[in-house]
Amino acid sequence: MAALKDLCDAIVIGAGIQGCFTAYHLARHRKKVLLLEQFFLPHSRGSSHGQSRIIRKAYAEDFYTRMMDECYRIWAQLEQEAGTPLHRQTGLLILGLKENPEFKTIQATLSRQSLEHQYLSSEEMKQRFPNIQLSVGEVGILDRSGGVLYADKALRALQDAVRRLGGDVRDGEKVTEIKPGLPVVVKTASRSYQAKSLIITAGPWTNWLLRPLGIELPLQTLRINVCYWREKVPGSYSASQAFPCFLGLGQAAHHIYGLPAGEYPGLMKVCYHHGNRADPDERDCPEARSDSQDVQVLCRFVKNHLPGLKPEPAVMEHCMYTNTPDKHFILDRHPKYDNIVIGAGFSGHGFKLAPVVGKILYELSMKLTPSYDLTPFRISRFPGLGKAHL
């Protein structure tokens, strides 16, 4: 088939939430943008599928909390453009021991940033949320801004918005080769494209694209179990009954989080914020023992903390995380080719932040001054990074 004749301002590889928001910002600024996706849309192979994600301002790090302020505004803007609800405010409950270091840091960050929140003692927790059973010494922080993002709807709305703004979205086109230079050339199985800049937002496939460009990032790809638990009394853990999203700190080696019942009637989503190493192309062949250990952690948590749920998952789905060692994102230019921009390592908490991530990647690709301090997100923070051919 014929190549795209015109030179693009930018090509974005990967039509997950980060790539879509990057293309959205480019298209809004009237740039000629091409968004490439290896799978046919919609698909469930990466990190952006599924019906729901948590949105919150409660973070231990000030820089994420500051970014979230603009994220809420852009999510609202997209919702207005799409003419459909993409978000429901439920509040987010942080659950942990009062002396837990992360709990204390989140509380301090919310206070420092003057964000509306409420500290709940054990007694107040029992009165407010009687269907949560507390361990001795557990307390709560309620981040009132927290809620649920309708992930599938948001992704569709973004892809539609990119097309409406003049962007070109091409799915079922796997990139086979990237030739650096000005212009950068991107080859797929059927076509060849050229652009002034390239943005790689390929999730767990990032290093597969970067190795031929002489760099390998310290990314770990994990398969996550997404578990749903049946309510003993339908509706008791639903948003309509004012049950919030929650984030559990210290009950296991990694966070445990939950969203009110809604996606599936009578089922609440409760997940472990960690998983097992997996090749994204072979993610349906997990190591059964590790998989089962993660589910056992959740079974114990549900039994001990959420007595109104049956303590074994009724439905189990999967998604991929792509983690960095410090769980912070990588938003940077390639060290050798400054018209190749990388957005990677979203570590299971990038969806809510995608509006600002996309803006930053747009700014980097257009050589604009970034709106945020990118020190926490630079590749150079990883000392001795193996640069295969640099």
Side-chain angles (χ1 to χ4, degrees):
M1 296 181 78
L4 193 73
K5 289 177 183 174
D6 299 332
L7 180 70
C8 297
D9 289 306
I11 294 172
V12 182
I13 301 176
I17 196 67
Q18 312 299 342
C20 283
F21 259 118
T22 303
Y24 173 77
H25 285 289
L26 284 157
R28 277 184 71 85
H29 288 88
R30 305 192 176 185
K31 303 301 177 186
K32 185 175 175 60
V33 58
L34 170 65
L35 178 58
L36 291 174
E37 170 55 50
Q38 64 174 320
F39 302 112
F40 288 102
L41 296 169
H43 70 83
S44 59
R45 299 291 300 276
S47 307
S48 297
H49 62 281
Q51 294 181 53
S52 64
R53 296 291 187 281
I54 291 175
I55 186 168
R56 60 186 165 108
K57 290 184 179 177
Y59 262 100
E61 299 85 3
D62 287 275
F63 53 85
Y64 287 128
T65 300
R66 281 193 292 267
M67 289 164 80
M68 280 308 305
D69 198 45
E70 185 174 8
C71 285
Y72 271 90
R73 291 199 298 274
I74 298 174
W75 278 119
Q77 172 186 297
L78 179 66
E79 193 170 55
Q80 192 172 23
E81 289 171 8
T84 187
L86 301 176
H87 160 254
R88 178 169 185 165
Q89 188 171 349
T90 63
L92 171 81
L93 182 67
I94 312 285
L95 182 66
L97 296 173
K98 187 163 41 175
E99 57 273 16
N100 178 292
E102 189 177 5
F103 185 94
K104 288 163 76 172
T105 306
I106 290 172
Q107 189 177 14
T109 303
L110 288 168
S111 299
R112 195 165 48 247
Q113 299 286 336
S114 303
L115 296 172
E116 192 183 354
H117 67 285
Q118 184 182 0
Y119 172 83
L120 298 170
S121 67
S122 298
E123 207 47 54
E124 289 168 322
M125 283 279 293
K126 286 171 192 168
Q127 289 170 11
R128 186 81 172 267
F129 305 111
N131 47 359
I132 297 178
Q133 192 166 287
L134 300 174
S135 296
V136 176
E138 280 185 331
V139 293
I141 301 167
L142 189 63
D143 167 7
R144 295 186 185 280
S145 72
V148 178
L149 285 169
Y150 303 137
D152 280 349
K153 283 186 182 177
L155 205 53
R156 278 197 303 274
L158 263 181
Q159 288 158 2
D160 290 345
V162 170
R163 292 186 185 100
R164 195 172 57 247
L165 291 163
D168 193 357
V169 181
R170 300 201 177 185
D171 59 354
E173 282 207 45
K174 183 173 181 174
V175 171
T176 55
E177 187 182 2
I178 297 167
K179 289 186 175 178
L182 197 57
V184 59
V185 177
V186 176
K187 291 187 174 183
T188 70
S190 55
R191 296 175 175 85
S192 186
Y193 305 102
Q194 297 184 36
K196 295 173 190 173
S197 66
L198 171 67
I199 303 105
I200 296 173
T201 52
W205 291 273
T206 297
N207 273 332
W208 187 87
L209 292 169
L210 289 179
R211 279 184 207 111
L213 301 177
I215 186 169
E216 182 159 358
L217 299 174
L219 300 174
Q220 186 182 57
T221 58
L222 303 175
R223 176 186 126 131
I224 307 298
N225 296 313
V226 181
C227 298
Y228 296 83
W229 311 74
R230 190 169 302 284
E231 295 171 306
K232 292 175 182 175
V233 178
S236 53
Y237 288 92
S238 68
S240 58
Q241 293 296 310
F243 195 80
C245 298
F246 74 83
L247 183 63
L249 310 179
Q251 293 88 3
H254 303 275
H255 294 165
I256 292 172
Y257 65 92
L259 293 85
E263 288 181 56
Y264 296 114
L267 299 181
M268 183 180 178
K269 182 176 177 177
V270 182
C271 305
Y272 193 40
H273 195 55
H274 196 64
N276 307 294
R277 287 185 187 226
D279 180 324
D281 291 317
E282 299 173 7
R283 66 164 223 189
D284 294 325
C285 307
E287 186 189 325
R289 183 173 164 274
S290 305
D291 238 36
S292 130
Q293 284 175 338
D294 288 354
V295 174
Q296 287 311 309
V297 168
L298 289 173
C299 288
R300 282 194 298 274
F301 178 87
V302 168
K303 186 179 179 183
N304 294 335
H305 284 82
L306 302 168
L309 299 178
K310 294 185 178 177
E312 61 283 321
V315 174
M316 195 155 73
E317 299 172 344
H318 306 288
C319 79
M320 296 296 296
Y321 280 10
T322 306
N323 287 7
T324 60
D326 59 10
K327 307 300 188 292
H328 300 318
F329 312 155
I330 293 170
L331 308 173
D332 207 348
R333 293 189 182 93
H334 188 289
K336 187 174 179 183
Y337 309 112
D338 74 347
N339 66 333
I340 297 179
V341 173
I342 302 162
F346 295 101
S347 305
H349 67 108
F351 199 100
K352 71 185 86 60
L353 285 145
V356 162
V357 166
K359 180 182 178 181
I360 290 167
L361 295 175
Y362 149 72
E363 290 167 342
L364 288 172
S365 71
M366 293 293 114
K367 306 284 200 319
L368 302 171
T369 304
S371 301
Y372 294 83
D373 177 11
L374 298 187
T375 305
F377 309 119
R378 297 211 181 279
I379 293 171
S380 58
R381 75 184 189 270
F382 302 114
L385 183 63
K387 296 176 185 176
H389 309 293
L390 293 181

